Amino acid sequence: MTRCIPVDPCAPALDALQEAAECLKSGGLVAFPTETVYGLGGNALDGRAVQRIFEAKGRPATDPLIVHLPAVEALPMVVKSIPDVVSTLAEHFWPGPLTLILPRGEKVPLSVTAGLDTVAVRVPSHPVAQALLRVSGLAIAAPSANRFGGVSPTTAGHVLRDLEGRIDMVLDGGATPIGVESTVLDISTAVPRILRPGGVSREALEAVLGPVDLLERKASQEEAQASPGLLEKHYAPHHARLILVEIPQNEGLQEAFAHLVTQAEQSGARVGALIADEDLAWLETQFPAMARLALGSLNDPGTVARNLYAGMRAMDEAGMDVILVRDFGTAGLGLAIRDRLYRAASQIVRHIAQNGA
Ligand code: TXA
Ligand code: MG
């Protein structure tokens, strides 16, 4: 049985926090809201608890976890040394959605880091996450609280749908404000490198650090275009096939949608669309009967990010076979949105002619 305890997201009650802290200290698993997505927490320094996290998620042991701390001052608990740039980054971005890759401290079990000499660390800003870290006094290892390969949870309901009966407790603090995971940054190279774009934008990092590289996923996308089945699926809906339409001009987008809808419906598939507010009018005219969800304005990737995962889950649960998603660009959180859509997509459509549209 998984206990779900509602908490005030701004001022969680102490008794709920103490109960969750006790559970963690005795090796239990507690899901809790962070500002990005819900995390599946266990005591990071307890090898058995860490083992249980991997089992509950069905996650391969080769995929390392993020360790959460209450403040930068707690870093010595889990890291061996602290590079100079960390204080600058912490000053600007902690608490917040930035994960740093640092030299692993000896007390951190190798299971947390999948055998690596480095450990991923972040200081979350969500009041519930903060309070849980402070009340428990623990370093909390927490991947996103979903089954491996699936869509990350932005509500306690999402967590329960994936992990009910597999974890001890969920603190329900409502929907998470950012909606996509933290930015993972490698600072061991001369030019810092984003390993996973997320809640802190590349622009914000560059304003503080100067140029920042981005680990490219190009190769696998080219492959995926050539042969959709090849793409390693992650952040993906359970049932529906997600098709990302990455065509910048509005007119091309409408034509591509028209072609893809016709194609899908000919094979009897149910089609839904995740679109921008700006698409509602033409979609209504062209496809009045199609299931649709506007995630936010093209000028407001923050809102799109917040609604993205819930939108993917909703379309999946409504029984759609195909989800068409428009591209939202790369400005601000757009980069994280595109990264997640690339990983979730079975197919990426970039040129109408090339794809036969
Ligand atoms: O926003 C988030 O980061 C959420 C919340 C719960 O904090 N957590 C999260 O964890 O997204 P997870 O496990 O779903 O993703 C962890 C990411 C993976 O991409 C993993 O490869 C990377 O962090 N990572 C962890 N340790 C690493 C390491 N030592 N070196 C490089 N990448 C690492
Ligand atoms: Mg995850």
Side-chain angles (χ1 to χ4, degrees):
M1 263 291 289
T2 301
R3 291 194 54 207
C4 183
I5 306 181
V7 290
D8 182 331
C10 301
L14 189 59
D15 55 348
L17 294 166
Q18 280 168 339
E19 207 176 318
E22 285 314 312
C23 179
L24 289 170
K25 284 188 214 170
S26 60
L29 302 185
V30 177
F32 59 95
T34 80
E35 67 278 23
T36 57
V37 300
Y38 273 73
L40 167 52
N43 178 358
L45 304 187
D46 173 352
R48 268 184 42 86
V50 171
Q51 193 52 43
R52 283 194 63 201
I53 293 176
F54 282 93
E55 282 163 15
K57 271 193 73 113
R59 179 174 176 129
T62 48
D63 201 347
L65 306 179
I66 296 175
V67 176
H68 296 67
L69 297 175
V72 64
E73 289 76 21
L75 271 179
M77 247 171 115
V78 297
V79 308
K80 189 177 227 161
S81 57
I82 304 177
D84 290 340
V85 68
V86 170
S87 60
T88 308
L89 285 167
E91 203 175 292
H92 284 88
F93 301 110
W94 279 355
L98 178 67
T99 295
L100 298 178
I101 307 302
L102 297 169
R104 180 179 63 87
E106 273 166 22
K107 278 191 267 169
V108 178
L110 281 166
S111 52
V112 169
T113 68
L116 297 171
D117 296 337
T118 54
V119 59
V121 184
R122 91 174 183 98
V123 174
S125 64
H126 194 292
V128 175
Q130 268 291 323
L132 184 61
L133 286 159
R134 288 176 192 275
V135 170
S136 69
L138 299 172
I140 300 179
S144 52
N146 53 282
R147 294 297 288 267
F148 179 71
V151 176
S152 293
T154 55
T155 68
H158 296 163
V159 175
L160 288 170
R161 239 159 282 161
D162 276 16
L163 299 174
E164 169 89 73
R166 304 176 73 89
I167 61 176
D168 301 295
M169 199 182 287
V170 185
L171 295 177
D172 180 355
T176 56
I178 294 176
V180 291
E181 300 82 349
S182 63
T183 301
V184 179
L185 187 69
D186 177 4
I187 50 172
S188 68
T189 44
V191 177
R193 193 167 57 139
I194 295 172
L195 303 181
R196 178 182 73 180
V200 171
S201 69
R202 183 182 195 172
E203 295 91 325
L205 286 172
E206 291 192 326
V208 171
L209 295 175
V212 170
D213 281 341
L214 176 68
L215 180 68
E216 287 288 350
R217 314 196 131 264
K218 268 234 171 69
S220 69
Q221 280 136 40
E222 306 303 355
E223 267 178 14
Q225 263 186 295
S227 171
L230 279 181
L231 189 67
E232 189 198 334
K233 286 270 218 60
H234 206 60
Y235 302 92
H238 290 300
H239 167 77
R241 266 168 39 81
L242 191 145
I243 302 178
L244 173 62
V245 183
E246 197 188 311
I247 293 174
Q249 294 81 14
N250 226 20
E251 214 164 288
L253 181 75
Q254 293 183 33
E255 283 170 34
F257 263 57
H259 174 79
L260 291 164
V261 170
T262 309
Q263 206 175 41
E265 287 181 346
Q266 269 168 5
S267 64
R270 295 181 66 192
V271 186
L274 295 177
I275 48 163
D277 295 347
E278 289 85 344
D279 300 317
L280 276 168
W282 67 261
L283 209 82
E284 174 67 37
T285 310
Q286 268 187 273
F287 311 103
M290 189 163 72
R292 82 211 56 181
L293 213 57
L295 300 176
S297 166
L298 291 172
N299 306 318
D300 182 9
T303 297
V304 175
R306 181 156 59 244
N307 294 325
L308 179 67
Y309 289 152
M312 282 162 66
R313 282 179 182 257
M315 284 288 167
D316 207 24
E317 276 160 27
M320 296 302 141
D321 303 300
V322 172
I323 308 174
L324 298 181
V325 191
R326 72 115 71 222
D327 178 56
F328 290 89
T330 57
L333 291 199
L335 195 64
I337 294 166
R338 185 181 277 183
D339 172 79
R340 303 312 186 269
L341 289 174
Y342 277 1
R343 301 203 220 188
S346 306
Q347 191 184 344
I348 300 170
V349 175
R350 291 203 177 91
H351 308 286
I352 298 183
Q354 214 174 297
N355 284 276

